[in-house]
Amino acid sequence: MDIKPRIGRYTVYASDYLKQDSDVMLGGGTDETELLQAILDKAEEWGGLVLEVDGAILMRGMRLHSNTTIHCANQNCGFYLADDTNDAIVQNAHLDYDVIRDENIQLLGGTYNINCEHQQRSKEPLPPGDGKYGKEQSRFEGAHYLHGLRFIGVRGLTLRDMRTVDQRVWDAVFCNWEHIVIENFAVELPHNYVAQNQDGLHFWGPGRDLFIHNIRGGSGDDFIALAPDEHDRCSDITDVLIDGVYLENADQGIRMLSRGPGKLDRVTVRNVYGTYKSCGFFINPWFGKWCDDSDGNYGAITVENVQLRQTYHKYKDYCRPFLFRIGGRIQSLTLKNIQAIEPNDARELVDISHIYSGDAVKDNFVDIANLTVDGLEVLNREGTTDPVDYIAVDSKVDHLTVRNVLINRDGNPAADTVVHVKPGAKVGTLDLSGVQAYGIEAGVKNEGDVSVLRRHCVYVNDQEEK
């Protein structure tokens, strides 16, 4: 078939060539994979391609070259992954973990349905391992899993005004990238299974300059994962801004995973709201003694304006629930304006712990230079009656600053503490200031080794604590 632009140098209308007789939610119709790919391959011949889609296309995946834009008229248009494809619905044409070979790719609008219930977790059997996830296995074992969107070796990628539906494993994986914009993006997961790793967006290094704005949805594991050296144990991710995350009962929220020397640095996450089940934020290496590593390598991280409500603890046999769990080697971490409104269980809000993941593996490495919690509010008049440590420390922190705290348990008192330094923990300076707490037991409970403890304007039940 002779494929020609309808407008200008390289604008093609899908309706001129493709039977758009599928449905983005129900599937069916004509498999148009070969002709669709023939159109997309014109980007190399013409130097670019704009594909206008105003219907729904059944297909078995597509590969995008540099200078390709796919524009869908609305979210009733887009693509449905055919049954038993067991591969990505879209990926860049030249996957390369070491060299960036594709650039200037845009997906604008539309729905990309990965058809979870009719796919396998991987296209081929996974490489053999030794029973320890990530140890002595293929360097890119994770690439064998069914990832809905796969972009490996890209520069200048934009995903805007679009949604994905029903990821089988990870919704999207990004590796070896620069300059990514993801905006007005939805991850819809109507079929959320147990322990199937149905992540949302998963980023491996090397990577720099990531902007995510206004993203919503659910996940069967991490909703967003920044994991620079998870796959190769050496790469960095730097310069990240995530602004506006709405969780819709996600199993877990945002993971920041520096496994070893790969650095995660200059990261800001703000305006996170909605509902989650078990784990809000992991900021630790996750891989610990059970994988014979690791210390982690975090630079400057800021998380601010968090108002998440837990629904229930899905993975109770695996670990305790929490809003933040923090560990590894961290230079500077600031948590600002954190709210907990009528919590239904006694999970810690900030758990600084030698336990990285499952509760069974203890005594992992923790060395935090600066940790600041600035703005912590708890309103619990009708929620759980169980006591809770809002900030629990069982590891090493050089300087811990906690300020601007308001706890209201009027009519629902419990033996809560604002900061609990547990036995075996070591804190250089602990500075607690600007605390108003009602219906709790203490501002500070010190059972560890605190070299300098300063309290300023700390009032518990209208009594100043000194």
Side-chain angles (χ1 to χ4, degrees):
M1 180 179 292
D2 188 16
I3 300 169
K4 295 181 179 180
R6 188 204 287 190
I7 298 174
R9 294 174 55 193
Y10 42 66
T11 299
V12 174
Y13 280 72
S15 56
D16 289 345
Y17 301 97
L18 303 172
K19 294 182 180 68
Q20 300 181 103
D21 57 359
S22 188
D23 184 289
V24 293
M25 297 306 293
L26 301 175
T30 307
D31 187 339
E32 292 283 41
T33 305
E34 292 186 10
L35 184 52
L36 172 62
Q37 190 60 53
I39 295 172
L40 295 172
D41 289 343
K42 289 295 182 181
E44 282 199 306
E45 179 183 337
W46 299 343
L49 174 73
V50 177
L51 177 62
E52 295 285 348
V53 177
D54 61 357
I57 300 170
L58 180 71
M59 40 76 88
R60 293 183 176 275
M62 51 186 166
R63 289 163 172 75
L64 308 184
H65 302 276
S66 294
N67 306 312
T68 293
T69 296
I70 297 179
H71 176 245
C72 296
N74 55 55
Q75 290 192 352
N76 196 42
C77 306
F79 305 89
Y80 190 95
L81 191 65
D83 293 358
D84 299 315
T85 297
N86 306 324
D87 207 348
I89 193 169
V90 59
Q91 64 185 36
N92 59 302
H94 306 97
L95 303 179
D96 196 314
Y97 291 91
D98 301 308
V99 178
I100 292 178
R101 300 178 59 191
D102 296 311
E103 56 187 342
N104 188 25
I105 294 174
Q106 299 185 92
L107 302 183
L108 307 178
T111 294
Y112 291 72
N113 194 321
I114 302 163
N115 185 17
C116 166
E117 286 201 299
H118 301 101
Q119 311 294 337
Q120 298 299 316
R121 297 190 76 240
S122 61
K123 191 173 185 67
E124 300 171 352
L126 297 177
D130 63 357
K132 291 185 177 181
Y133 179 86
K135 183 187 178 188
E136 304 301 333
Q137 298 195 13
S138 168
R139 178 186 178 198
F140 304 120
E141 175 181 329
H144 291 262
Y145 287 112
L146 197 169
H147 303 142
L149 312 181
R150 183 183 294 134
F151 291 101
I152 299 171
V154 295
R155 178 185 295 112
L157 173 67
T158 299
L159 309 178
R160 180 179 287 129
D161 300 330
M162 58 179 286
R163 68 171 173 168
T164 62
V165 176
D166 249 3
Q167 64 265 30
R168 181 63 183 91
V169 189
W170 297 355
D171 186 63
V173 64
F174 308 82
C175 183
N176 187 25
W177 49 268
E178 295 179 355
H179 316 314
I180 292 180
V181 174
I182 300 174
E183 191 168 28
N184 302 335
F185 191 97
V187 180
E188 297 184 3
L189 184 60
H191 298 98
N192 185 337
Y193 301 118
V194 174
Q196 290 291 298
N197 294 108
Q198 292 172 284
D199 290 46
L201 309 185
H202 202 107
F203 295 87
W204 284 334
R208 64 185 181 95
D209 184 23
L210 168 65
F211 175 54
I212 300 177
H213 178 234
N214 190 24
I215 182 172
R216 70 168 178 87
S219 60
D221 199 64
D222 309 317
F223 185 68
I224 297 174
L226 305 174
D229 61 348
E230 181 183 21
H231 77 288
D232 68 0
R233 310 193 191 192
C234 65
S235 290
D236 301 338
I237 289 178
T238 62
D239 306 295
V240 176
L241 173 58
I242 301 174
D243 187 357
V245 179
Y246 176 53
L247 298 182
E248 297 176 302
N249 207 25
D251 287 13
Q252 299 172 185
I254 297 176
R255 182 186 296 275
M256 302 184 195
L257 189 166
S258 171
R259 181 172 181 171
K263 193 167 190 177
L264 183 62
D265 195 12
R266 301 190 297 276
V267 175
T268 297
V269 178
R270 61 190 183 212
N271 302 324
V272 182
Y273 59 111
T275 55
Y276 76 109
K277 299 187 185 84
S278 292
C279 310
F281 294 78
F282 275 101
I283 307 177
N284 68 30
W286 194 78
F287 298 94
K289 287 191 170 184
W290 67 289
C291 279
D292 296 337
D293 46 20
S294 62
D295 291 354
N297 187 8
Y298 296 86
I301 312 288
T302 298
V303 181
E304 59 181 321
N305 299 342
V306 175
Q307 219 287 40
L308 287 172
R309 295 199 185 193
Q310 64 263 31
T311 53
Y312 71 98
H313 183 27
K314 183 175 181 179
Y315 295 107
K316 60 184 66 176
D317 295 331
Y318 173 62
C319 71
R320 292 175 291 117
F322 52 84
L323 181 58
F324 288 88
R325 177 167 284 178
I326 299 163
R329 187 185 305 278
I330 299 175
Q331 292 176 321
S332 173
L333 175 61
T334 298
L335 309 180
K336 189 172 184 179
N337 297 337
I338 312 300
Q339 289 183 317
I341 308 299
E342 302 296 354
N344 61 16
D345 62 28
R347 65 185 64 190
E348 288 97 348
L349 300 184
V350 180
D351 182 25
I352 304 154
S353 179
H354 59 83
I355 297 173
Y356 284 171
S357 51
D359 292 339
V361 183
K362 305 178 185 297
D363 300 322
N364 292 299
F365 180 86
V366 181
D367 189 351
I368 300 170
N370 292 347
L371 173 58
T372 300
V373 180
D374 185 359
L376 178 65
E377 180 183 355
V378 177
L379 176 63
N380 184 1
R381 291 177 168 180
E382 300 176 349
T384 181
T385 59
D386 295 329
V388 61
D389 300 322
Y390 299 114
I391 301 172
V393 186
D394 70 11
S395 303
K396 180 179 181 294
V397 182
D398 291 343
H399 303 289
L400 173 60
T401 297
V402 180
R403 57 180 177 243
N404 301 323
V405 177
L406 176 59
I407 312 294
N408 182 343
R409 294 205 65 158
D410 290 348
N412 190 25
D416 296 354
T417 57
V418 177
V419 180
H420 182 187
V421 181
K422 296 183 177 181
K426 183 176 178 61
V427 178
T429 62
L430 169 55
D431 193 311
L432 182 65
S433 64
V435 175
Q436 298 180 68
Y438 303 92
I440 76 167
E441 184 173 274
V444 176
K445 182 178 181 180
N446 180 18
E447 298 179 310
D449 180 3
V450 178
S451 297
V452 178
L453 173 58
R454 292 190 290 262
R455 298 180 180 92
H456 178 67
C457 293
V458 176
Y459 288 87
V460 176
N461 303 320
D462 290 325
Q463 299 295 315
E464 186 171 11
E465 186 175 288
K466 295 184 178 180

